[in-house]
Amino acid sequence: MSTSAPDPAAATASTSVEAVAVAPEGEHAKRRGPGRNLPAAIGVGLALVAVLALSVLVVPQAFPVLAAIAMVAAVLELTRALAHGGLEAPAVPLLVGVIGMVVSTVVFGAEGLMLSTAAAVCVLILWRVSESMGLTALRDVAGGVFALAWVPFLGCFLLLLMQRDQGAMLVLLAVLGPVGNDVGGYIAGVLFGRHPMAPGISPKKSWEGFAGSLVLGTAMVTLIAVLALELPWWVGVAIGAVLVVVSTCGDLAESLLKRDLGIKDMGHLLPGHGGVLDRVDSILLAAPTTYVMLEVLLP
């Protein structure tokens, strides 16, 4: 019985094939992949922008209802997420607080928002301590106050912007700034991302992506400010740059919270995006920032 010697050419070819198969993997490991269902993400994103534009430009009376629905969904997602960390924030007073804060803001403006927020916190405390006392109740109340402050309190600044002159365009400015931040950061991160921004918090965020966010986010805000609001160009650039920084901080803060809670997404309602809170996290910070900057730059 004879045994044939290994064919050197075949061995060389096999090694070459393995090298070709492994090399691209190493090369692309440095680059951020799509990381999501891109067709679904694009479709859902365009649908959300269309619904927003319709509500603020065509049927402005529907915008508070749309905002309330989004805040209720976001608070429900947040309470479920906090439950993973052992915080049982009571959902009923939180949801009642959301509706009360929205209605009060629409009817009474900023004063109504402040008073309704204080009332919602008081109701939350009384509701929780009526069930039990102690350290657990204190932690649950803290989680509930955090939910009220993060979602409905910050979100109601969109309603305050809507009440100003050219309110519809101000709302679009506060929303499209974070949208430009996300889109610009995603495209630049996928194409050029090499240097992680905060690998311990969000490994996919890169400094190259942040540069893309800064360019597209600032450009979108400046276009709206100059063409629709007739503001000086430098006001648009200033607001746009600040909104990009704030939006990025909002994304990183939510990523840190999800990492601490041991979850990937806040929810699964929006295909390609995760939950409602995953989509509006940066908008929640951009809305009050826009409101304050307009007060400072255009008193």
Side-chain angles (χ1 to χ4, degrees):
M1 183 176 181
S2 60
T3 302
S4 59
D7 186 356
T12 302
S14 176
T15 303
S16 300
V17 170
E18 292 179 359
V20 170
V22 172
E25 181 180 355
E27 178 184 347
H28 291 294
K30 302 177 183 178
R31 179 179 298 178
R32 173 184 170 183
R36 65 172 73 178
N37 184 339
L38 196 55
I42 294 174
V44 171
L46 292 175
L48 292 175
V49 171
V51 171
L52 174 67
L54 181 66
S55 67
V56 298
L57 297 175
V58 181
V59 192
Q61 299 82 0
F63 179 65
V65 178
L66 178 65
I69 292 173
M71 291 183 212
V72 165
V75 166
L76 286 174
E77 291 175 353
L78 183 54
T79 54
R80 287 194 294 265
L82 291 175
H84 283 273
L87 298 177
E88 298 296 334
V92 174
L94 286 177
L95 298 182
V96 173
V98 170
I99 301 302
M101 291 165 72
V102 169
V103 173
S104 298
T105 304
V106 171
V107 177
F108 301 108
E111 293 81 3
L113 174 59
M114 298 302 173
L115 292 175
S116 59
T117 301
V121 171
C122 293
V123 171
L124 171 69
I125 294 173
L126 294 174
W127 183 288
R128 183 61 186 86
V129 299
S130 67
E131 299 175 340
S132 65
M133 299 288 288
L135 183 59
T136 301
L138 179 61
R139 294 173 67 244
D140 293 345
V141 167
V145 173
F146 169 69
L148 285 174
W150 188 16
V151 180
F153 180 75
L154 297 182
C156 281
F157 276 86
L158 287 174
L159 302 177
L160 294 178
L161 287 173
M162 190 70 175
Q163 295 172 0
R164 296 174 63 109
D165 293 337
Q166 295 182 298
M169 288 301 157
L170 293 177
V171 170
L172 291 179
L173 183 148
V175 172
L176 292 182
V179 170
N181 171 77
D182 288 345
V183 174
Y186 180 79
I187 294 175
V190 169
L191 295 178
F192 310 110
R194 288 293 186 275
H195 301 88
M197 175 183 289
I201 300 175
S202 181
K204 291 185 177 181
K205 282 195 177 297
S206 64
W207 286 108
E208 292 82 2
F210 177 72
S213 295
L214 195 60
V215 170
L216 186 57
T218 303
M220 292 182 70
V221 170
T222 303
L223 285 175
I224 296 174
V226 173
L227 299 180
L229 298 171
E230 298 181 349
L231 298 175
W233 66 267
W234 62 267
V235 173
V237 171
I239 295 177
V242 172
L243 288 188
V244 168
V245 173
V246 168
S247 299
T248 302
C249 292
D251 288 337
L252 290 174
E254 195 204 14
S255 296
L256 181 60
L257 177 62
K258 290 189 291 186
R259 183 174 290 267
D260 288 342
L261 296 175
I263 58 177
K264 183 178 183 296
D265 291 315
M266 287 293 184
H268 307 283
L269 185 62
L270 304 175
H273 294 270
V276 174
L277 192 52
D278 294 303
R279 185 67 281 140
V280 303
D281 55 351
S282 55
I283 296 174
L284 290 174
L285 290 180
T289 301
T290 303
Y291 184 87
V292 171
M293 290 197 69
L294 289 173
E295 290 289 329
V296 172
L297 297 176
L298 303 171

